[in-house]
Amino acid sequence: MTVVTALSLTGCGGSHKKTAPTPSAPTTPPTSPPASFSTEQVKAALLAPTDIKKGIHEIKVVLDPLKLDKVPICSLTGFKMPGSPQLTTRQFVNDTLGADQFQYAQLIARYDDATSANSAYSALSNAANKCVKRRHVPPKKVTDNFTIFSHNDTWKVTDAAVQSWAHLQGTEQQVYPPDATKFNVYNVFYDYASRGNVVIATMYAQRTAPKVSAAPIAQQASTVLQKQLGKFG
């Protein structure tokens, strides 16, 4: 703070008189209103398949949580977003088997206002943090021709902002019986992000053989997330 001292000058024989400094009024920097995205802006911001991974294509949503308009979360379960958001759900796969088999899914919830979105994101975050860290999942019949084998899950959560978005990531490793498939470890990265009136939930999954590092898959998931958030500006 710069203090300005005012001097009062009189005629000959007068005296110098110091006046008290005028206190400066505290200033508060202006705050920007929360971001607000229209339906058209959400649609325009959606990633193209080539933005996600080479060789993938969009399919009809078949992931159980997404079919029920729920956010994919730990151990093949889903979380129902509170309120009445406008939902966009998408799912992508490739036609490769083995270590290069890939799956990506999105749910984007657009609320009328940022307050509702913030509240919904907080509820989603709470649910993710309550997931059991280790559990056994029994076999589950998905269709007449497809059954998910029993497997063991491990789950952990990290919380770190990305760009200007609040962000939470759930990391899940699903380990299937080694006699079921050579690439019996399924590495799944769940990312949840919120900004303004939008909440974005994504799932990025890829298989590996036992003891193979999932670090490259984690990096790919992070790159795709940042691309998606960047599309919103």
Side-chain angles (χ1 to χ4, degrees), residues 5-113:
T5 303
L7 298 180
S8 176
L9 301 179
T10 63
C12 291
S15 61
H16 292 81
K17 181 180 181 182
K18 292 185 178 180
T19 61
T22 303
S24 300
T27 58
T28 302
T31 56
S32 301
S36 182
F37 301 99
S38 66
T39 301
E40 292 73 21
Q41 286 174 310
V42 171
K43 184 177 180 180
L46 296 176
L47 291 172
T50 53
D51 293 325
I52 302 169
K53 194 176 180 71
K54 183 179 179 181
I56 71 164
H57 56 276
E58 187 171 359
I59 62 171
K60 178 183 177 181
V61 169
V62 295
L63 194 65
D64 277 353
L66 290 188
K67 288 195 298 183
L68 299 173
D69 289 335
K70 293 182 178 182
V71 171
I73 201 168
C74 51
S75 299
L76 307 177
T77 60
F79 174 80
K80 184 72 172 177
M81 294 295 285
S84 302
Q86 180 184 45
L87 298 179
T88 300
T89 56
R90 305 198 301 161
Q91 188 171 353
F92 300 84
V93 298
N94 61 6
D95 296 323
T96 304
L97 298 177
D100 293 324
Q101 187 176 11
F102 170 85
Q103 184 174 177
Y104 181 77
Q106 283 185 329
L107 182 147
I108 300 177
R110 178 191 171 275
Y111 286 85
D112 290 335
D113 54 77

Side-chain angles (χ1 to χ4, degrees), residues 72-74 104 121 124-125 127-129 131 154-162 165-172 187-194 200-205 214-226 229:
I73 201 168
C74 51
Y104 181 77
Y121 176 76
L124 174 57
S125 176
N129 278 287
C131 284
T154 58
W155 172 268
K156 70 175 182 178
V157 173
T158 55
D159 189 348
V162 175
W165 295 70
H167 170 245
L168 182 80
Q169 184 181 74
T171 303
E172 184 172 67
N187 305 283
V188 192
F189 297 88
Y190 302 84
D191 285 288
Y192 311 122
S194 179
I200 298 177
T202 67
M203 186 194 80
Y204 189 111
I217 303 172
Q219 183 57 54
Q220 292 167 14
S222 176
T223 298
V224 175
L225 175 68
Q226 292 187 52
L229 300 186

